Amino acid sequence: MLDKLSEALKNKSPEELVELSEAAVAIVALRKQSGAVPKAKISAIKDTIWRVANYRRQGIVSELVHTIFVKRMQLIGNAGTVSELKEIQAEPKPHYNGNGFSTGTFCIPEEELILWSQTSLRAPLNEAGMKRYLDVFHQVYGFHPWELKTNQEKEEAE
């Protein structure tokens, strides 16, 4: 059994090992509880582990993926109802209201950024979609893509 576990963990990054251990500890604690909410929390944790692994398989930056894991685990830990947990597990669904986009209470900006990035690879974004993509990028990174200086620009400024 230890050989199988060792083999499964062999190629994991430090972030992945931390995530798996945090998830395992949370699941063990939740299994000691009864009721629908603890069961739904376990399901949400399993979904989170699957989702972050899937993002990594797609080549998403590990730091961004780890942030999603941390935020989702916080949301799961704070959730008090099964319906909240179902909403946490749902994919980000930005809704256009005619003036711009809004998201649900449990939407994680880093996860929405991935959604917009993947959407833009399938088809060009319209003006409203592009504006939202850039706004979420700024929320996540604190700057817009065009504000990023190249190494040459940094050297010239010094």
Side-chain angles (χ1 to χ4, degrees):
M1 182 172 157
L2 287 176
D3 290 340
K4 288 182 181 180
L5 180 60
S6 178
E7 186 64 30
L9 298 176
K10 182 169 69 173
N11 296 320
K12 301 292 184 200
S13 70
E15 293 89 356
E16 289 173 285
L17 293 173
V18 167
E19 292 163 6
L20 290 170
S21 63
E22 285 182 27
V25 167
I27 289 171
V28 167
L30 288 165
R31 284 203 171 133
K32 294 177 183 175
Q33 301 174 24
S34 61
V37 172
K39 287 180 183 177
K41 284 187 177 191
I42 290 171
S43 177
I45 291 169
K46 289 178 180 179
D47 176 73
T48 297
I49 289 296
W50 177 86
R51 191 171 302 203
V52 297
N54 190 42
Y55 288 149
R56 283 196 174 93
R57 277 191 298 275
Q58 294 175 37
I60 305 297
V61 177
S62 189
E63 184 178 291
L64 190 67
V65 174
H66 185 68
T67 299
I68 292 167
F69 172 83
V70 169
K71 288 184 175 184
R72 284 177 64 102
M73 290 297 286
Q74 287 172 344
L75 289 171
I76 292 165
N78 294 332
T81 66
V82 172
S83 65
E84 286 177 342
L85 289 158
K86 285 182 181 178
E87 194 175 335
I88 291 166
Q89 281 182 261
E91 296 273 339
K93 294 182 186 91
H95 173 72
Y96 186 69
N97 62 16
N99 293 322
F101 285 90
S102 61
T103 57
T105 308
F106 301 108
C107 183
I108 297 169
E110 291 80 1
E111 201 160 17
E112 185 185 354
L113 182 65
I114 292 170
L115 170 97
W116 285 110
S117 178
Q118 292 172 334
T119 301
S120 73
L121 292 174
R122 290 185 187 100
L125 298 175
N126 64 18
E127 184 179 348
M130 190 61 171
K131 180 181 180 330
R132 178 63 183 177
Y133 186 13
L134 293 172
D135 288 346
V136 175
F137 184 96
H138 189 268
Q139 268 184 289
V140 170
Y141 290 110
F143 60 88
H144 289 100
W146 59 84
E147 296 171 330
L148 185 62
K149 294 186 183 218
T150 65
N151 286 336
Q152 181 179 356
E153 291 172 323
K154 290 177 188 175
E155 289 172 7
E156 291 172 359
E158 294 173 355

